[in-house]
């Protein structure tokens, strides 16, 4: 009531209503919030998530289309929609949104890293290699970009090279759970199971901060 343009407050209220199983009230809060703030990207995503949790996939898709129409040139909106599809394991839809985002912001490293991650998750090594080459030129010191490069080496069967790369990354970014995780995967692929277990334990040391990672 004090800040009709707020995004987090109506999302929190909608989540509370959802926990109480008051779904109509939850949706109404977000509908009112979108009406008050039609450019509030998180509002659409939260509303689509509620629809999806109820099995109303068509309504969720229509809402995301409404966001696309509202902000057709927004990389932020496209990335948010892509992230939503990633959470549903819908890689093709996510890739389409990330590519749309990249067309609006062609130099955005974060978008490129998202696309590379999906290429690797879906075993698309050829486009991954092209994007990896671009990232290594643009951001050679970026930790996640370097991890992506090592993952590509693994996908190409160059496990020893991947291990060398990941060992360097772990030395440079000792607190990166992703670096330890993928080093564990590389060790496992190489048959070094004790080393793999050790690196995995380090990666899982603070599981609350570890993102969902592929096996």
């Amino acid at each position: 009531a004090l800040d009709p343009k707020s995004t987090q407050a109506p999302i929190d209220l909608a989540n509370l209503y959802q926990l109480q199983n008051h779904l109509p009230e939850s949706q109404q809060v977000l509908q009112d919030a979108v009406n008050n703030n039609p450019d509030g990207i998180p509002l659409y995503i939260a509303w689509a998530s509620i629809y999806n949790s109820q099995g109303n996939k068509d309504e969720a898709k229509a809402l995301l289309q409404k966001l696309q129409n509202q902000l057709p040139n927004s990389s932020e909106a496209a990335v948010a929609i892509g992230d939503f599809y990633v959470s549903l394991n819908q890689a093709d839809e996510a890739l389409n949104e990330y590519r749309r985002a990249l067309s609006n912001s062609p130099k955005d490293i974060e978008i490129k890293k998202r696309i590379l991650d999906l290429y690797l998750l879906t075993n698309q090594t050829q486009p991954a290699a092209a994007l990896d080459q671009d990232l290594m030129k643009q951001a050679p010191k970026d930790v996640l970009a370097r991890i992506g490069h090592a993952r590509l080496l693994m996908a190409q069967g160059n496990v020893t090279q991947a291990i060398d790369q990941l060992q360097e990354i772990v030395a440079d970014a000792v607190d990166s759970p992703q670096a330890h995780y993928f080093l564990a995967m590389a060790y496992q692929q190489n048959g070094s199971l004790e080393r793999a277990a050790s690196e995995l334990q380090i990666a899982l040391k603070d599981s609350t901060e570890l993102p969902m990672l592929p096996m």
Side-chain angles (χ1 to χ4, degrees), residues 37 39 47 53 62 71-72 82 84 94 97 100 113 118 126 130 133 158 164 171 173 177 180 192 194 205 215:
N37 186 6
D39 292 344
W47 194 359
S53 69
L71 299 170
F84 176 80
E97 288 302 316
R100 188 167 68 88
K113 288 189 291 187
L118 277 182
Q126 187 171 347
Q133 188 176 20
N158 301 318
D164 291 341
H180 288 286
S192 302
E194 289 186 7
K205 182 170 56 178
M215 294 300 290

Side-chain angles (χ1 to χ4, degrees), residues 5-6 33 44 66 70 73 118 133 135 140 170 196 201:
K5 296 290 185 181
S6 170
Y44 292 86
K66 181 178 179 180
Q70 177 68 25
N73 299 317
L118 277 182
Q133 188 176 20
L135 273 169
V170 165
Q201 286 179 348

Side-chain angles (χ1 to χ4, degrees), residues 138-155:
Q138 187 178 356
K141 295 183 179 181
D142 186 277
V143 172
L144 291 180
R146 292 169 66 193
I147 292 172
H149 178 68
R151 291 171 63 192
L152 176 63
L153 290 172
M154 291 171 59

Side-chain angles (χ1 to χ4, degrees), residues 118-177:
L118 277 182
Y119 280 153
L120 293 169
L121 286 173
T122 54
N123 298 314
Q124 300 183 56
T125 54
Q126 187 171 347
L131 186 55
D132 170 69
Q133 188 176 20
D134 182 33
L135 273 169
M136 287 295 94
K137 288 180 181 178
Q138 187 178 356
K141 295 183 179 181
D142 186 277
V143 172
L144 291 180
R146 292 169 66 193
I147 292 172
H149 178 68
R151 291 171 63 192
L152 176 63
L153 290 172
M154 291 171 59
Q156 294 171 331
N158 301 318
V159 183
T160 301
Q161 285 182 264
I163 289 173
D164 291 341
Q165 293 279 335
L166 287 163
Q167 286 174 336
E168 291 180 9
I169 298 169
V170 165
D172 294 339
V174 67
D175 294 329
S176 169

Side-chain angles (χ1 to χ4, degrees), residues 186-205:
Y187 279 140
Q188 182 185 42
Q189 193 171 331
N190 200 40
S192 302
L193 299 185
E194 289 186 7
R195 288 185 172 184
S198 176
E199 290 297 328
L200 197 56
Q201 286 179 348
I202 296 172
L204 294 172
K205 182 170 56 178

Side-chain angles (χ1 to χ4, degrees), residues 52-123:
N52 192 73
S53 69
Q54 297 171 355
N56 298 326
K57 299 183 185 299
D58 290 340
E59 288 85 348
K61 189 173 183 179
L63 190 58
L64 297 177
Q65 184 62 55
K66 181 178 179 180
L67 174 56
Q68 289 177 353
N69 295 339
Q70 177 68 25
L71 299 170
N73 299 317
S74 169
S75 297
E76 184 182 355
V79 167
I81 296 171
D83 290 347
F84 176 80
Y85 282 128
V86 165
S87 72
L88 301 179
N89 294 317
Q90 297 180 16
D92 290 341
E93 290 82 354
L95 273 173
N96 288 337
E97 288 302 316
Y98 289 153
R99 288 170 180 150
R100 188 167 68 88
L102 191 62
S103 69
N104 293 324
S105 301
K107 295 184 179 180
D108 193 302
I109 295 172
E110 297 305 315
I111 298 172
K112 291 179 181 180
K113 288 189 291 187
R114 279 173 163 83
I115 294 174
L116 179 61
D117 181 60
L118 277 182
Y119 280 153
L120 293 169
L121 286 173
T122 54
N123 298 314

